[in-house]
Amino acid sequence: MTSYALVAPARFTLDSFARITGLHPDVVRRLVALGLIEATIAPGGRMWFTPDQVAAVARISRLRSGLSLNYAAIGVVTDLLDRIAQLEAALRARPRRTGGISWI
Amino acid sequence: MAPPRDFYDVLGVSRTAGQDEIQKAYRKLARTYHPDVNKDPGAEERFKEVSEAYDVLSDPETRKKYDAFGEDFRRVPDDIDPEMYARARAGAGAASGGFRGPGRGGVRYSTGGVGGGGPDIDFESIFGDMFGGRGGSRGWGGPIPGADVEAEIELGVEEAYTGGRRSITITGPDGPRTLEVNIPAGVTDGQRIRLSGQGGRGSAGAGAGDLYLVVRLQPHPRFRVDGRDIYVDLKVAPWEAALGTSVPVDVPGGEAKVKVPPGSSSGRKLRLRGRGMPSPRGKPGDVFVVIRIMVPPSLTDEERRLFEQLAAASTFDPRGGPR
């Protein structure tokens, strides 16, 4: 019989997420309500956050402090940046020929 | 560290620019160099420079002080008269023999005038480091992790094939820095190499972002790379193509013996399985040797006679088959 190790799920509670990101839990709730970060809301109302949302909060903080964007503008900018990242990744993944054009 | 640049130069405006013009220049530069918008490793530093210049020049009071005192404006108390300051400064410079000069274009102080005797400004209190540097983030407060940055790295085909160490220099907040990068064997054009923690710096002790190196393969005079496959031309004489031959061909990773089968026309591809770009996981690519028939540009009498003889005897029609 194969046995499997127990692994804790890679997710944070609202409190630990707030501690990691250095934000007040109310600010985190507000970001979720505005759709700027993703959270899983359990039936009891508890919020869970995946580790990639830490980077999302960091980007929101940089955009807010660096460009004085409001929440609505941050939503637009992050959506556009994600789309650009996707397109650039697709462009990179496309096989590219180097070394000039074949003479044939 | 590089000497601080003139704030007007940083924003690209003249010293007489109005507040509107300064704000316009700042907004444009901030949009261009924000580290989340611009992935260039130098963008973050430029963004900070632009923000600092705007912080100072957007406030009429601090701008006035900056115009009067130059880069020392933050150390000068509010009630100092610029002219007296300039004289005092010149005096202190003469007395101590080599005080730090204004150091950059724009604001210059007269070094003539009163000698060492006259100043009644307490220089210790002015130049003592009262100013502890700017705080980290504005607005939310708290540490903000750094952004990820991207830089291109150009590799030759052979280098990408063998991999190995390579040192690269990128611009950073403290000037250019050199990193030793391990290039995995078989990187392909467009792949990214992640250097964790080498990206934009976080503020107030937060972690730095990552640096991604995007691989660009340099064009090679002989090898064409398509994904993991490598194409190389092989020039053969008409009789070699007709009768078949065996030729050594230089490919990345060494020489390969290629058997040209009899009756090979131009464009025929001979596959050397597994001799292309290695793959960190999975199968390596192939090398395709592409036959290219070369004809002597001028024929000797003997060659001409033999070709004429061949032309008369042969029934081969290269344009006769199905199109």
Side-chain angles (χ1 to χ4, degrees), chain B residues 40-188:
Chain B
D40 191 84
E44 185 196 4
E45 191 47 25
R46 192 91 167 77
F47 181 77
K48 283 185 181 151
E49 218 177 39
V50 166
S51 302
E52 194 189 357
Y54 179 69
D55 272 0
V56 171
L57 298 186
S58 59
D59 178 356
E61 282 303 309
T62 49
R63 184 181 175 185
K64 220 183 284 169
K65 275 181 87 172
Y66 179 73
D67 286 346
F69 304 114
E71 67 182 270
D72 295 321
F73 73 101
R74 275 193 273 245
R75 298 196 178 99
V76 179
D78 285 336
D79 51 358
I80 300 288
D81 174 58
E83 275 183 32
M84 191 155 68
Y85 174 80
R87 263 185 282 131
R89 201 189 151 88
S96 65
F99 209 87
R100 190 164 58 101
R104 90 191 106 123
V107 184
R108 295 267 174 218
Y109 300 102
S110 149
T111 45
V114 188
D120 50 356
I121 298 172
D122 180 3
F123 261 81
E124 278 305 305
S125 79
I126 296 177
F127 288 104
D129 212 8
M130 305 183 329
F131 188 78
R134 279 154 53 86
S137 58
R138 292 175 287 175
W140 266 358
I144 302 179
D148 294 344
V149 297
E150 251 179 36
E152 286 203 351
I153 179 170
E154 281 227 320
L155 296 177
V157 175
E158 284 99 342
E159 223 174 341
Y161 181 89
T162 54
R165 296 191 80 76
R166 164 94 183 249
S167 67
I168 57 152
T169 304
I170 53 163
T171 54
D174 307 317
R177 65 206 158 108
T178 306
L179 299 171
E180 283 279 314
V181 186
N182 204 16
I183 313 270
V187 285
T188 54

Side-chain angles (χ1 to χ4, degrees), chain B residues 10 31 108 114 118 130 158 188-189 215 264 267 277 304 307:
Chain B
V10 168
R31 282 204 303 270
R108 295 267 174 218
V114 188
M130 305 183 329
E158 284 99 342
T188 54
D189 196 67
V215 173
S264 294
M277 286 287 183
R304 173 172 294 278
F307 267 121

Side-chain angles (χ1 to χ4, degrees), chain A residues 21-23 27 31 54 57-68 71 77 81 88 92-104, chain B residues 26 30-31 34 36-37 47 138 140 143-147 150 189-190 192 214 216-217 219-220 223-227 231 233 266-267 290-292:
Chain A
T21 54
L23 298 180
V27 179
L31 292 179
V54 177
V57 168
R59 182 166 69 175
I60 291 166
S61 315
R62 287 192 301 265
L63 288 169
R64 216 180 116 84
S65 69
L67 295 177
S68 325
Y71 288 119
V77 171
L81 287 175
E88 280 178 348
R92 272 198 299 272
R94 226 170 44 164
R96 219 174 66 119
R97 270 186 176 233
T98 59
I101 301 152
S102 172
W103 67 284
I104 304 162
Chain B
Y26 162 71
R31 282 204 303 270
H34 192 278
D36 282 286
V37 178
F47 181 77
R138 292 175 287 175
W140 266 358
I144 302 179
E150 251 179 36
D189 196 67
R192 300 200 305 174
V214 181
R216 288 278 162 248
L217 285 189
H220 190 279
F223 303 134
R224 293 186 299 276
V225 182
D226 187 3
Y231 290 76
D233 283 348
S266 268
V290 185
I291 300 294
R292 185 172 172 183

